[in-house]
Amino acid sequence: MNPQALLPRLALALAFLAALAGAAAADALRSTADLGVVIERASGSVLIVDRTDHAVLQRVEGFGDLSHASVVFSGDGRFAFVFGRDGALTKLDLLTGRIAGRISQAGNSIGGAISDDGRLVAVANYEPGGVRVFSADTLAPVASFDTGAKTIGLVDVPGRRFVFTTWDTGETWIADLSGATPRTEVIGGIGRNPYDALVTGDGRYYIAGLFGEDGLTLLDLWDDHPRPRRILEGYGRGEAALPVYKMPHLEGWALAGDRFVLPAVGHHEVLWLDARSFEELGRTPTHGQPVFAVARPGGRQVWVNFAHPLNDTVQVIDTRSGEIVKTLKPGPAVLHMEFAPRGNEVWISVRDDDRIRIYDTETFEEIAELPARSPSGIFFTSRAHRIGL
Amino acid sequence: MNPQALLPRLALALAFLAALAGAAAADALRSTADLGVVIERASGSVLIVDRTDHAVLQRVEGFGDLSHASVVFSGDGRFAFVFGRDGALTKLDLLTGRIAGRISQAGNSIGGAISDDGRLVAVANYEPGGVRVFSADTLAPVASFDTGAKTIGLVDVPGRRFVFTTWDTGETWIADLSGATPRTEVIGGIGRNPYDALVTGDGRYYIAGLFGEDGLTLLDLWDDHPRPRRILEGYGRGEAALPVYKMPHLEGWALAGDRFVLPAVGHHEVLWLDARSFEELGRTPTHGQPVFAVARPGGRQVWVNFAHPLNDTVQVIDTRSGEIVKTLKPGPAVLHMEFAPRGNEVWISVRDDDRIRIYDTETFEEIAELPARSPSGIFFTSRAHRIGL
C-alpha cells in the first residue's frame, strides 16, 4: 500500500464524514415534540423555536407573503406546512431548518389542514376558489374540489375527511378521502356569505360565521346527512353602532368547562354559550372588541386579545365566575396567543414591539421573551395531535 | 509534511468521525412526536416504536419488574419515564435508545405522573407508601409526601400540582409544587379503600373507585377547597353474583360526546353517565367484564376489552346509539389499546400471541402487526401533551 496514494482519498473521506457528523450531530439534539414556529409577517420569514428552552433555534427565509399565514404539522412533528396568503404551500423541515418543498398552488389562499392520518395536506383558496389536496410527503397533487366559489373554513375531521364552506354560494362540503375515489357531500343553505368556520375539538360540530346575516350556522357532523341549524340569532347584529374593526376569528371556540366562549361581533364583550344547547348564557364586558378568545388547556381561564386601537392589552377571564381576573399590557399590536399544550404558559406575539412574551398562566408573571420581526402567528407542533386545527 | 507520519492520525480521526456520523445520522432520522414505547412485561424490556411507520425501532433491556408498569413522557417527547412494579424509575432516551437514568425509589410502586411544566416526576408507592417527587432532568429527589398509607390514583393537574389518594385512610392529597415550598391540602372522607382514581381530561374532576363500598367519590378540583361527593351509589354493588376477575381500571374514563362511559364492576356491561350530572343514563351489554373502555379521540366510538377468560375479544360501541357495531378477535390476552392521537388507528397488545395488532378505526381492518414479547401497555409520546395521563 502506498501511503501517498491513499492520503488524498483519506482526506476526502475525512472531510465528507466531518460534514456529515457535524450536520447530523446538530440535528440529533432536536426533539420535535416541543418545537414550534413563529410567523414573521413583514419579512416572509419563519422562526423555529424550542418551547421548553424558550429559545429561537433558527430563522428561515423565503416563504413569500405571510400577511395571513397559517400552519399545520406532520404527525411526527418534523415538518411544518406553511400556507401563505399568496397561494404558496411551503414544507419546512424543523430538524434541519431547510425548506423541504414549496409549491405555488393558487393565486390567493386562506388556510389549510392536514388529514387525521397525516398523509394529505389541503388548502382552501379564494382565487381561483375551491380546495386542492396534496401528498404531505411529496406535495404532489392528489385531489381537487372545484367549489366554483371562494372557499373558507377548511378543517380536518376524523375519517380522513375535510370540511369547507363557500363564501359566494353558502355551501358546506364534506370531502371523504378514505377510499380510492374521493366522495363529497354538499350541504346548501348555510347562509349568506360565510366568512369563517371552525370545528369543535372533538370534530363533531362545524360552525360557520355569516357576514351578511345575524346568527351562525351549525352542522352536527355525527349525523349521516347533516342539516344546517341556525344558532345565536342575535349574533352579529349591529345594534351597538360600533364599527367592526376586524371580524373575530372563529379558529377555535374556547370550550371552558361546559360552556363555549366566543368574541362578540362589534361589541366590547365575549359571549358564553351552553356547550350542549348552543344557547347564550351571558356576556362578560371586555377592554375592547375581542379578536381571539382562547381557553387555557383544561378550560380554567380564557385569554382574550383585542382589535385596533386597543390591541396592546390581553385580559384573562376566570371561567367559572365569568370575571376578569387579570389585565396585561404586553405591548403594541398583540396578534396571537399560543398555549403550551398542558397550559402552564402562554406565548404572546407583540408585533410592533418585535418580540414574543411568555407568561406563566398561574402567576401571570413574564418568564421569558424572544426577539422576532413583526411576529404574528405562533404554532407549536403539539397541534399535530389535535383534531380540527 | 511527512505523509507517512500523518496517515495514522488521519486514519484515527476517520474512524472516530465515521462512528460519530453513524450514531448521529441514525438519531437524526428520529422525530420524537410520533414515537412510543411498548412494555414487554415478562422480560422487563421495552420496545421503542415509530407510530407513523408501524415499526419497532429498538428493544431496550434492563427495566426490572414490569408486571404493572406505566409510562409518562418529557415535554419534548424524547424521554420516557418508566415506573416499574418494583419501585424502580427508569428514564429512557428514545433518540439514542439508551437508559439515561435509573433509580430504585421504593419497594413497590403503583404508577407515576409528570408535572404540567415537565420539570417534576412523581411516583406513588405501596411500600413504604406516600409519593416521592424527582427532577425530570436529573432524577434527584425534590420532595416527598409521607401519607402514612399505601398511595394510589396519582395524577398531574394544572398549576404544577399532583393529586393522589390513600388506600388505608381514604384521604385525597392535593400537592402544589408551584412555589418554593410544597403546599398540601388533605381531604378526608373519600371512602373505604379507594383502589384507583382518575382525573377527567380537563384536569377538573377527580374520581376515586372504592373497593370496600358501593359508589365512587368525586372531587371538583376547581373548588378552592374540594369536598367529597358520592356518585353512582349502585356502582360496584355485587348483585350479579359474578366474581370480579379484575377491578376495572379507572385510568381515564372515556368522554364520548356529552357522556362518560365506564366499565361496570363484576358485570358484562358498560355504564353511560351524564358528563355534567354524573347520573347514570343507561348500560350497554358487552361480551365480558370490561377492563378498559376507551374513547377513540373525538369520542365517536368506544373500544372495550375484557377480563379473563373472555380476553381475546375487543368490542366497538357507537357512542350515539350505544350499540355494539363491531366485535374483533385480536387473539389471546388483549391487555391494552392505544389510539393514534387523532384516532385514525388503534394499537392493541395481544400478550399471549406475542404481537401488537394495528387496526384502522373506520374500516376495522388490520393494517399492520408488530412482533413483541408478552406485550402489555402501549404508550405514545403524544401523552406528553395531555393533562392527567
Side-chain angles (χ1 to χ4, degrees):
Chain A
M1 186 171 65
N2 175 0
Q4 298 213 250
L6 192 59
L7 193 57
R9 289 170 62 190
L10 263 177
L12 193 67
L14 186 64
F16 173 75
L17 281 167
L20 186 61
D27 294 347
L29 295 176
R30 290 193 194 173
S31 301
T32 56
D34 66 343
L35 296 181
V37 297
V38 174
I39 301 296
E40 297 186 313
R41 50 183 289 145
S43 52
S45 50
V46 169
L47 299 181
I48 301 173
V49 296
D50 183 307
R51 186 173 55 73
T52 305
D53 294 343
H54 300 147
V56 173
L57 299 179
Q58 195 169 345
R59 171 175 286 123
V60 187
E61 314 267 358
F63 289 83
D65 180 358
L66 296 184
S67 63
H68 192 287
S70 65
V71 177
V72 299
F73 295 95
S74 63
D76 64 1
R78 177 167 178 172
F79 297 101
F81 298 90
V82 181
F83 306 99
R85 186 56 176 264
D86 55 5
L89 165 58
T90 309
K91 181 177 178 179
L92 171 63
D93 185 339
L94 303 181
L95 282 183
T96 65
R98 296 191 197 105
I99 289 178
R102 181 169 160 84
I103 57 174
S104 182
Q105 60 82 42
N108 189 321
S109 70
I110 194 64
I114 186 164
S115 59
D116 61 356
D117 64 357
R119 308 284 178 194
L120 302 173
V121 173
V123 196
N125 293 314
Y126 266 17
E127 192 53 52
V131 167
R132 298 188 68 192
V133 182
F134 303 91
S135 158
D137 188 22
T138 63
L139 300 188
V142 170
S144 182
F145 299 97
D146 179 9
T147 61
K150 290 184 177 62
T151 303
I152 56 94
L154 168 64
V155 299
D156 66 275
V157 296
R160 218 188 196 195
R161 293 181 300 162
F162 294 108
V163 183
F164 42 90
T165 297
T166 58
W167 161 270
D168 315 82
T169 52
E171 293 170 346
T172 292
W173 292 46
I174 303 172
D176 181 336
L177 289 100
S178 62
T181 312
R183 287 178 302 147
T184 56
E185 173 155 2
V186 179
I187 302 157
I190 299 301
R192 208 185 316 153
N193 297 143
Y195 72 92
D196 195 6
L198 70 97
V199 71
T200 51
D202 58 5
R204 176 168 184 177
Y205 295 107
Y206 183 82
I207 298 157
L210 308 174
F211 193 79
E213 301 175 60
D214 285 342
L216 297 159
T217 301
L218 172 73
L219 296 174
D220 182 348
L221 300 178
W222 284 15
D223 288 340
D224 291 334
H225 301 287
R227 306 310 314 161
R229 174 183 151 200
R230 195 61 60 88
I231 58 170
L232 281 181
E233 289 287 354
Y235 186 80
R237 197 168 289 159
E239 81 261 25
L242 285 174
V244 178
Y245 285 105
K246 190 166 172 50
M247 290 301 282
H249 281 273
L250 296 182
E251 169 183 277
W253 286 10
L255 179 64
D258 46 22
R259 298 187 289 175
F260 289 113
V261 57
L262 65 159
V265 175
H267 295 258
H268 291 198
E269 290 172 341
V270 296
L271 273 67
W272 300 92
L273 245 62
D274 184 288
R276 287 190 187 175
S277 70
F278 295 94
E279 301 286 336
E280 184 180 330
L281 297 172
R283 298 180 175 218
T284 296
T286 55
H287 173 73
Q289 285 188 32
V291 175
F292 286 112
V294 191
R296 170 178 165 178
R300 190 73 186 87
Q301 304 165 341
V302 175
W303 291 56
V304 186
N305 73 336
F306 302 99
H308 181 83
L310 298 171
N311 58 354
D312 66 340
T313 298
V314 166
Q315 288 188 312
V316 184
I317 305 175
D318 176 84
T319 296
R320 199 144 60 159
S321 69
E323 284 172 14
I324 289 164
V325 292
K326 190 73 183 178
T327 297
L328 298 166
K329 298 278 182 188
V334 170
L335 292 197
H336 200 226
M337 300 171 285
E338 176 86 338
F339 286 88
R342 288 201 276 164
N344 56 301
E345 62 184 36
V346 62
W347 292 38
I348 296 179
S349 57
V350 191
R351 185 191 62 199
D352 295 348
D353 201 24
D354 289 320
R355 77 187 67 203
I356 305 288
R357 293 184 186 273
I358 305 171
Y359 294 89
D360 183 305
T361 52
E362 288 286 315
T363 63
F364 306 115
E365 282 168 20
E366 185 178 324
I367 48 182
E369 56 179 64
L370 302 175
R373 297 182 199 144
S374 301
S376 55
I378 306 169
F379 304 90
F380 294 139
T381 55
S382 51
R383 288 173 172 251
H385 300 147
R386 294 182 51 200
I387 294 168
L389 287 185
Chain B
M1 186 173 67
N2 176 358
Q4 297 212 253
L6 192 59
L7 193 57
R9 290 171 60 191
L10 262 177
L12 192 68
L14 186 63
F16 173 75
L17 281 167
L20 185 64
D27 294 348
L29 296 176
R30 291 191 193 173
S31 301
T32 57
D34 66 344
L35 295 181
V37 297
V38 174
I39 301 297
E40 296 186 313
R41 50 183 289 147
S43 53
S45 50
V46 169
L47 299 180
I48 302 174
V49 296
D50 183 306
R51 187 173 55 72
T52 305
D53 293 344
H54 301 148
V56 173
L57 300 179
Q58 194 169 347
R59 169 175 287 121
V60 186
E61 314 268 359
F63 289 83
D65 180 358
L66 296 184
S67 64
H68 194 286
S70 66
V71 177
V72 300
F73 295 96
S74 63
D76 64 1
R78 177 167 179 173
F79 297 101
F81 298 90
V82 181
F83 307 98
R85 186 56 176 265
D86 55 4
L89 166 57
T90 310
K91 181 177 178 179
L92 171 63
D93 185 338
L94 303 181
L95 281 183
T96 65
R98 296 191 197 103
I99 289 177
R102 179 170 162 85
I103 58 173
S104 181
Q105 61 82 42
N108 188 322
S109 70
I110 194 64
I114 187 164
S115 60
D116 62 355
D117 63 358
R119 308 285 179 194
L120 301 173
V121 174
V123 195
N125 293 316
Y126 265 19
E127 193 51 51
V131 166
R132 299 188 68 193
V133 182
F134 303 90
S135 158
D137 189 22
T138 64
L139 301 188
V142 171
S144 182
F145 300 96
D146 179 9
T147 60
K150 291 184 175 64
T151 304
I152 56 94
L154 168 65
V155 300
D156 66 275
V157 296
R160 218 186 196 197
R161 292 181 300 162
F162 295 108
V163 183
F164 42 91
T165 296
T166 58
W167 161 269
D168 315 81
T169 52
E171 294 170 346
T172 291
W173 291 45
I174 302 172
D176 181 337
L177 289 102
S178 63
T181 310
R183 287 178 302 147
T184 56
E185 173 156 4
V186 179
I187 302 157
I190 299 300
R192 208 185 317 152
N193 296 143
Y195 71 93
D196 196 6
L198 70 97
V199 71
T200 51
D202 57 5
R204 176 168 183 178
Y205 295 108
Y206 183 81
I207 298 158
L210 307 175
F211 193 78
E213 299 176 60
D214 286 341
L216 297 159
T217 300
L218 172 73
L219 296 174
D220 183 348
L221 301 177
W222 285 14
D223 288 340
D224 291 334
H225 300 287
R227 305 311 313 159
R229 174 183 152 201
R230 194 62 57 90
I231 58 170
L232 280 181
E233 288 286 355
Y235 187 80
R237 196 168 291 160
E239 81 262 23
L242 285 174
V244 178
Y245 286 105
K246 192 168 170 50
M247 291 301 282
H249 282 274
L250 296 180
E251 170 182 277
W253 286 10
L255 179 64
D258 45 23
R259 298 187 290 176
F260 289 114
V261 57
L262 67 157
V265 174
H267 295 259
H268 290 199
E269 290 172 342
V270 296
L271 274 67
W272 300 92
L273 245 63
D274 185 288
R276 287 189 188 175
S277 69
F278 295 94
E279 301 287 338
E280 183 180 331
L281 297 173
R283 298 182 175 217
T284 297
T286 55
H287 173 74
Q289 284 187 32
V291 175
F292 286 112
V294 192
R296 170 180 165 176
R300 189 72 185 85
Q301 303 164 342
V302 175
W303 291 55
V304 186
N305 73 335
F306 303 100
H308 180 83
L310 298 171
N311 59 354
D312 65 339
T313 299
V314 166
Q315 289 189 310
V316 184
I317 305 175
D318 177 84
T319 297
R320 198 145 58 160
S321 69
E323 285 172 14
I324 289 165
V325 293
K326 190 74 184 179
T327 297
L328 298 166
K329 298 280 181 188
V334 169
L335 292 196
H336 200 227
M337 300 171 285
E338 177 87 340
F339 285 89
R342 288 201 277 164
N344 57 300
E345 64 184 33
V346 62
W347 292 39
I348 296 179
S349 57
V350 190
R351 186 191 62 199
D352 295 347
D353 200 25
D354 290 320
R355 76 187 67 203
I356 305 289
R357 293 184 186 273
I358 306 172
Y359 293 89
D360 183 305
T361 53
E362 288 286 315
T363 64
F364 306 115
E365 282 167 20
E366 185 178 323
I367 47 181
E369 57 179 63
L370 301 175
R373 296 183 200 144
S374 300
S376 54
I378 306 168
F379 304 90
F380 294 139
T381 55
S382 50
R383 287 173 172 251
H385 300 145
R386 296 183 48 201
I387 293 168
L389 288 187

